[in-house]
Amino acid sequence: MIEIEYLHKKFGNNQVLKGIDLEIEKGGIFAILGPNGSGKTTLIKSILGMVIPNSGNIKLDGKIVKGKWEYRNEINYLPQIANFPGNLKVKELINMIKDLRSGTNAEDQHLIELFRLQSFLDKKLSNLSGGTKQKVNLVLTFMFDSPLIILDEPTTGLDPISHLRLKDLILTEKAKGKTILITSHIMSFVEEMAEEIVFLLEGKIYFKGSINELKTKTQQPDFEHAIANILTTSDA
Amino acid sequence: MLKILKYSFFDLMRSRWSYVYFLFYLLLGVVLLFLNNDLSKAVITLMNVIIILVPLIGTIFGVMYYYSSREFTELLLAQPVKRSSIFLGQYFGVALSLSLSLIIGLGLPFVFYGIFKSAAIWDFSLLLITGTFLTLIFTALAFIIALANENKIKGFGYAILLWLFMAVIYDGLFLMSLIYFENYPLDKFSLIATMFNPIDLSRVLILLKLDISALLGYTGAVFQKFFGTSLGLIISTGMLALWVAIPIGIIYRMVKRKDF
């Protein structure tokens, strides 16, 4: 599904990605983990073409994505911070995104009901709370039927019920055979959802494999300690 | 690109600033006509105002719009839309709404005053065309400045500086060099120097059409002598068009390489 070769990215003097080689197969949930500033968002934004790498290739289904834009029809992306134009109403925003992706079917009605957003449809986005904005963000992400779904910190600001509904939503999408990439700092969420994890450290891939493999590698009984173990040993 | 343009345009049409700008020009038109009581005189006064104000508003508005629509841009970048379409769509959205405010705001009072029955109709339309050119040029320059500066304060600073340079400082430097090098033939120098400033270029363009030699100034006179009135008009219009095309080209290139 996604092939990344030798990816480098520098912002000014700050070398964020230092040669990432990664292959993600079709179908399943993959978690991209790493401490703050390890390059997770940069990696995701490179896949989306928002960040332009200094060197290296990114291929989606065997095709190089650099300079292209049509391939984004195949991707649903949930940005980390829900920044929306404040003077639009929720309804207008949803219709606008639908209009921009015309040609694909949008399933927004069922999602609006799932996240109880009906009463917010006529409100302006600048008047919404952080959690409600994140729900709108989720509706915009999941309303299209694309084979690749990228979620950057999807749980931010969600209440427990919405959190549960989000998990169900991700699992239904997975059951349809989709590829789902998630970044998150909430380890219990990752442990529950992800089948395979990719651990980034200082712009390189430190570990790729299943959660059990990580536990055996670090000789820790549970996932949270395994991650903590990587972070402490790498610092020393 | 048309979809983005549509959204940017309607977004702006709903904002307060478009109306402020529109009402300002409406008021200006009415006051000028009232004070001058003569169409062609009002056109000349208007020229002086337009040449200074349109660039100022174009630059400030362009920079402001770019920074305030950053969220919108980020949202669009993850959608299947071409990068250049996003930014050019936004640019044309701003430039179009500013031009419309100018044309309708100034046009209405003059139409009611009877511009269509007057001989000044061509002078007036040329004025509006030049105003539109200046809006296109300075909004594009503002977008370039905003694209190059992540920092809002810096962006605004450079934008104001650009306007100040083009509207005031450039002329001062130009005059000083004319006095300093008065013993040398300066025809070609002043011709080229005029081409490099869209504000000077617009002034020459309008004055050539109005045919008021007293107001032409040194550059205008050289322009008229060198090209004659009609060729001068064509060349200055062509240069203004280049002044639009080149910044748009630069925006196109910058956008391709930028990270978000």
Side-chain angles (χ1 to χ4, degrees), chain A residues 9 11 72 114 227:
Chain A
K9 179 66 196 176
F11 291 110
R72 286 199 284 270
L114 184 72
I227 295 289

Side-chain angles (χ1 to χ4, degrees), chain B residues 181-193:
Chain B
F181 297 107
E182 62 183 339
N183 297 331
Y184 301 89
L186 289 167
D187 300 20
K188 288 235 171 82
F189 165 74
S190 57
L191 267 184
I192 292 166

Side-chain angles (χ1 to χ4, degrees), chain A:
Chain A
M1 183 89 200
I2 310 173
E3 288 163 67
I4 297 170
E5 295 160 353
Y6 194 63
L7 195 69
H8 285 79
K9 179 66 196 176
K10 219 161 128 181
F11 291 110
N13 283 329
N14 184 11
Q15 182 88 42
V16 179
L17 300 180
K18 300 169 188 165
I20 301 256
D21 288 289
L22 179 64
E23 196 168 327
I24 285 172
E25 302 87 34
K26 198 172 158 52
I29 301 176
F30 299 82
I32 300 174
L33 305 177
N36 298 332
S38 57
K40 301 182 295 278
T41 299
T42 307
L43 176 64
I44 284 178
K45 285 189 168 177
S46 309
I47 297 175
L48 282 159
M50 292 168 80
V51 165
I52 295 156
N54 296 112
S55 61
N57 279 328
I58 299 173
K59 289 183 196 161
L60 212 76
D61 291 327
K63 276 171 268 173
I64 289 179
V65 300
K66 197 178 177 189
K68 303 258 187 351
W69 56 274
E70 294 90 343
Y71 75 94
R72 286 199 284 270
N73 266 317
E74 314 281 300
I75 303 178
N76 292 346
Y77 168 59
L78 180 94
Q80 185 172 21
I81 302 157
N83 274 334
F84 296 127
N87 52 354
L88 284 181
K89 290 175 184 165
V90 176
K91 203 164 59 184
E92 290 170 326
L93 179 69
I94 294 175
N95 287 335
M96 185 181 88
I97 298 295
K98 274 201 233 169
D99 182 34
L100 286 173
R101 283 179 89 152
S102 55
T104 42
N105 282 333
E107 274 282 337
D108 55 323
Q109 220 46 50
H110 136 83
L111 286 165
I112 290 169
E113 279 162 33
L114 184 72
F115 288 111
R116 306 277 188 277
L117 282 172
Q118 296 97 325
S119 55
F120 294 100
L121 284 179
D122 281 315
K123 294 223 166 83
K124 291 212 167 166
L125 283 150
S126 51
N127 299 335
L128 299 184
S129 73
T132 317
K133 269 190 197 165
Q134 184 68 358
K135 288 184 196 168
V136 175
N137 205 359
L138 285 167
V139 171
L140 292 179
T141 309
F142 282 100
M143 70 183 179
F144 299 105
D145 188 25
S146 308
L148 177 59
I149 300 173
I150 299 178
L151 309 170
D152 201 350
E153 297 281 353
T155 54
T156 322
L158 291 182
D159 55 48
I161 306 171
S162 311
H163 196 120
L164 278 175
R165 292 199 177 111
L166 170 65
K167 281 191 213 161
D168 289 341
L169 202 57
I170 294 176
L171 291 175
T172 356
E173 294 299 311
K174 182 197 154 197
K176 289 181 195 161
K178 296 187 179 179
T179 316
I180 301 164
L181 285 187
I182 302 178
T183 75
S184 180
H185 285 296
I186 299 173
M187 288 308 138
S188 58
F189 179 75
V190 173
E191 193 171 13
E192 202 181 330
M193 307 300 293
E195 290 150 346
E196 206 172 324
I197 60 171
V198 176
F199 197 91
L200 288 185
L201 203 62
E202 286 164 12
K204 281 187 181 151
I205 292 181
Y206 182 85
F207 173 84
K208 182 178 184 277
S210 72
I211 290 173
N212 280 329
E213 281 166 19
L214 184 73
K215 283 181 196 162
T216 31
K217 189 180 174 187
T218 54
Q219 293 174 324
Q220 294 291 329
D222 64 276
F223 181 54
E224 210 156 358
H225 281 91
I227 295 289
N229 183 273
I230 298 180
L231 292 178
T232 43
T233 50
S234 69
D235 278 346

Side-chain angles (χ1 to χ4, degrees), chain B residues 23-39:
Chain B
L23 286 175
F24 170 76
Y25 276 114
L26 198 69
L27 206 70
L28 184 73
V30 172
V31 169
L32 280 183
L33 284 172
F34 180 74
L35 288 178
N36 283 301
N37 227 341
D38 178 71
L39 274 173

